[in-house]
Amino acid sequence: MADNVYGERMGDSIMRKVILFIAMSLDGYIADSEGKVGWLGGQGNEEEMIDTYSEFVAHVDTVIMGWNTYYQVSTELSPDEWVYDGLKSYVVTHRDNSSTEKIQFTSEEPCSLIRKLKKEYGKGIWICGGADIVRQLMAEDLIDMYYVSVIPMLLGNGIRLFGGSGKEIPLKLVKTQSYDGITDLIYEHRG
């Protein structure tokens, strides 16, 4: 495996990076006041769209999300197929669900789960959502990269992405790109 921004080679192993890859409104929300994400998208110029997802997902093999994100994906966004096929999926929840070959339901605390997964060999670990998991990982300084797509929308209220972590986290801008009114901001931890 070649070195890349999503992992660092350390002898015969790779130090897995934890990457937040998420979209938010210009005013910092990841969902509207009803928890919906129908507003996600550009300003309507499909000719400008680029496939950032496929490029990103080639560098990860694990995805972590909370119950609300899982429920939204499995019931609204893609009810007929699991869109994270090919990735080891963890859903952090206190609900009693049976794990499947594709999805591991766990009540393990997100920070503990991340620390355990970082010790295993593999590619990057994608934090898909939700905001509560992101805040917990930020409080423990466990996110290595922030890949945030800013959507050209002001929601006014909803579920805020970066609220109340209570910690300053110094970042270094690695890359920006814009397409169809969307701006991707990619930062890495510099602390």
Side-chain angles (χ1 to χ4, degrees), residues 16 30 40 47-49 60 68 70 79 82 102 116 129 134 138 157:
R16 300 176 81 183
I30 58 172
L40 287 174
E47 295 170 4
E48 288 185 11
M49 290 302 290
V60 299
N68 290 340
Y70 163 75
W82 183 239
K102 295 181 182 184
K116 180 179 75 177
V134 171
M138 287 175 65
N157 60 38

Side-chain angles (χ1 to χ4, degrees), residues 120-179:
E120 298 175 0
Y121 183 82
K123 295 181 180 182
I125 302 165
W126 170 17
I127 307 306
C128 180
D132 187 50
I133 289 176
V134 171
R135 285 186 206 109
Q136 289 179 57
L137 296 176
M138 287 175 65
E140 296 289 324
D141 215 6
L142 291 172
I143 299 176
D144 300 304
M145 297 192 71
Y146 294 78
Y147 190 130
V148 180
S149 297
V150 180
I151 305 300
M153 176 67 73
L154 294 168
L155 291 178
N157 60 38
I159 300 171
R160 188 168 291 284
L161 177 56
F162 300 119
S165 74
K167 182 173 189 141
E168 288 185 7
I169 300 174
L171 302 175
K172 175 185 175 186
L173 183 64
V174 178
K175 181 179 178 181
T176 63
Q177 60 188 7
S178 293
Y179 50 94

Side-chain angles (χ1 to χ4, degrees), residues 14-80:
I14 195 97
M15 292 296 296
R16 300 176 81 183
K17 288 200 177 183
V18 177
I19 307 133
L20 173 65
F21 181 88
I22 201 162
M24 72 175 188
S25 65
L26 180 60
D27 53 351
Y29 297 100
I30 58 172
D32 66 20
S33 60
E34 295 178 1
K36 305 291 184 188
V37 294
W39 52 271
L40 287 174
Q43 58 195 17
N45 188 351
E46 296 296 320
E47 295 170 4
E48 288 185 11
M49 290 302 290
I50 58 175
D51 185 7
T52 58
Y53 176 80
S54 295
E55 180 183 334
F56 167 76
V57 81
H59 299 286
V60 299
D61 62 7
T62 305
V63 60
I64 296 174
M65 67 193 72
W67 172 261
N68 290 340
T69 302
Y70 163 75
Y71 186 79
Q72 187 170 54
V73 168
S74 63
T75 63
E76 295 174 38
L77 302 177
S78 183
D80 298 327

